[in-house]
Amino acid sequence: MDRAGAELIVASPSTDRPLLPEAPAIHEVRLAVRAWLGAHPADAVTVALSGGADSAALTAAAVAETDAVHAVVVDHRLQSGSEVVAARAAEFARARGCATVTVVGVDVTGGGGIEAAARAARYRALDENRDDRPVLLGHTLDDQAETVLLGLGRGSGLRSIRGMAPFDPPWGRPLLGVRRDTTRRACDELGYRPYEDPHNADDRFTRVRLRREVLPLLEDVLGGGVAEALARTAGQLQDDGHALDVWARDLLATARREDDLLDTDALAAAPAAVRRRALRSWLIDHTATPNETMLRAVDDLVVAWRGQGPVAVGRGPRTGTRLVVSRRRGTLAVEYVDRAKVRATVLRGKDPRCTRTT
């Protein structure tokens, strides 16, 4: 049993490293992995292997490009026969020459829908079994384009529409410049028939409809190249976002006072995009995960102060408590307040207020 109580199987590795075919698709995947390793050197990596085309091509290329690849196959156990799929993926990894192959069964529970719950369980299992190595994920250029479109549709701001980063430790994504059809052709060149997850054809999921309906329509209307353009936009926005993050980090250091108070004058002098990043980081340091309404309400304590009361931004460390932010003598302070003393009054409109104390 693994650390979460799920079944754990470690397959014996192969002593051989079969040569990759001299074929164009697997060569492209291999070059992408080589470039990623050049930017983020690692003697050994963990690869998240589902048995699908993207992760299978990635696994084969990683074995050829680095000293040791440790494959982790997560069995979500959402469909009948999932253990057979996991075993087949493990056999592929063993045959390709992975140093170790681990199959982890997980229980998919929690809110937010089945996609979110499965993703949380998968990432948790990968993190628990990576042994301090970076984890390579098989996200492709197509996945990046879909992520950017989802962010645009939800109005989630720069953090969402800049997409997935090539390396967000410990998660590495070497294939963000590789198309999905390339990984499929790479599997053909390897003589491997990848697993086709039925969820990837289920129109109940928004991402599936984006893939099957929205992106093809955009490609048709705009004359092609849309996926590449969206992925290119994500890369450009990542550079901008990084610059803003550095600026916000410096602002937060300047605004901090004793007892982790924040100077409102120092914050107010900064551009809104930088100030809100600094406030978000400060709240995350206090284990809060503010949504946009909460963040704007806290920002109003800095730039639109009219005597409004504390803003609740998360749960406290004890049952029945809330983490709140208040303004005191030109500073922002955080404290834990009994939930019974906090009355939520979420107001939507031009002047949102997240909470007021009673």
Side-chain angles (χ1 to χ4, degrees):
M1 306 293 280
D2 72 357
R3 275 160 281 193
E7 184 180 8
L8 180 68
I9 304 171
V10 180
S12 301
S14 170
T15 58
D16 300 322
R17 281 193 176 195
L19 295 177
L20 293 181
E22 292 293 330
I26 192 62
H27 183 65
E28 182 179 342
V29 176
R30 184 171 177 176
L31 287 179
V33 172
R34 184 181 303 172
W36 189 92
L37 289 168
H40 313 286
D43 293 332
V45 297
T46 295
V47 173
L49 176 61
S50 67
D54 302 336
S55 63
L58 173 62
T59 298
V63 169
E65 293 296 330
T66 192
D67 292 342
V69 174
H70 302 266
V72 176
V73 181
V74 179
D75 178 5
H76 298 88
R77 301 191 287 202
L78 292 174
Q79 297 153 353
S80 176
S82 66
E83 70 283 359
V84 176
V85 174
R88 183 170 177 267
E91 176 56 28
F92 171 81
R94 190 201 67 79
R96 293 312 315 175
C98 288
T100 63
V101 186
T102 306
V103 178
V104 186
V106 297
D107 295 320
V108 177
T109 58
I114 189 172
E115 281 184 298
R119 183 182 184 278
R122 177 169 63 254
Y123 275 73
R124 185 165 54 249
L126 291 169
D127 192 36
E128 290 175 350
N129 290 279
R130 67 184 181 88
D131 292 332
D132 293 325
R133 295 181 294 265
V135 181
L136 303 190
L137 307 172
H139 294 127
T140 64
L141 183 148
D142 299 82
D143 295 308
Q144 184 75 299
E146 292 161 13
T147 299
V148 174
L149 270 182
L150 281 171
L152 285 169
R154 291 168 177 167
S156 304
L158 177 59
R159 289 185 180 277
S160 180
I161 63 176
R162 67 184 181 183
M164 298 173 285
F167 191 36
D168 182 16
W171 315 111
R173 301 177 178 89
L175 305 187
L176 290 181
V178 176
R179 295 301 302 263
R180 187 176 290 136
D181 70 313
T182 300
T183 64
R184 292 184 178 280
R185 287 188 288 110
C187 287
D188 287 342
E189 293 166 357
L190 292 169
Y192 173 72
R193 180 173 57 83
Y195 169 64
E196 301 291 348
D197 188 342
H199 285 147
N200 290 335
D202 191 336
D203 287 343
R204 291 178 300 170
F205 300 115
T206 303
R207 187 178 284 268
V208 172
R209 296 195 65 187
L210 278 178
R211 180 179 307 151
R212 292 160 62 105
E213 301 174 31
V214 178
L215 270 170
L217 178 60
L218 286 174
E219 295 280 356
D220 179 52
V221 171
L222 298 177
V226 171
E228 290 87 351
L230 288 168
R232 188 165 58 250
T233 298
Q236 293 165 349
L237 291 177
Q238 285 169 17
D239 292 338
D240 295 345
H242 176 70
L244 289 171
D245 288 341
V246 171
W247 191 352
R249 191 160 55 243
D250 292 342
L251 172 62
L252 188 57
T254 299
R256 282 190 191 272
R257 298 292 180 262
E258 293 182 0
D259 297 326
D260 204 24
L261 302 176
L262 295 187
D263 186 317
T264 56
D265 287 340
L267 291 169
V274 178
R275 181 177 62 250
R276 288 173 185 162
R277 271 176 168 72
L279 289 171
R280 184 186 295 276
S281 295
W282 181 61
L283 294 173
I284 289 174
D285 287 345
H286 290 279
T287 70
T289 52
N291 59 33
E292 191 63 23
T293 300
M294 293 175 182
L295 187 60
R296 287 183 178 274
V298 174
D299 190 47
D300 280 353
L301 295 177
V302 177
V303 296
W305 171 243
R306 292 183 298 276
Q308 59 264 38
V311 175
V313 293
R315 296 178 180 177
R318 301 188 311 278
T319 302
T321 61
R322 298 295 299 274
L323 178 65
V324 301
V325 179
S326 58
R327 176 162 172 156
R328 300 175 181 174
R329 299 185 181 88
T331 61
L332 293 187
V334 292
E335 62 181 332
Y336 297 108
V337 176
D338 191 297
R339 187 172 183 175
K341 297 180 180 179
V342 178
R343 175 172 56 89
T345 58
V346 179
L347 304 179
R348 303 184 183 277
K350 295 181 180 179
D351 187 24
R353 287 291 171 269
C354 185
T355 62
R356 296 171 185 158
T357 56
T358 57

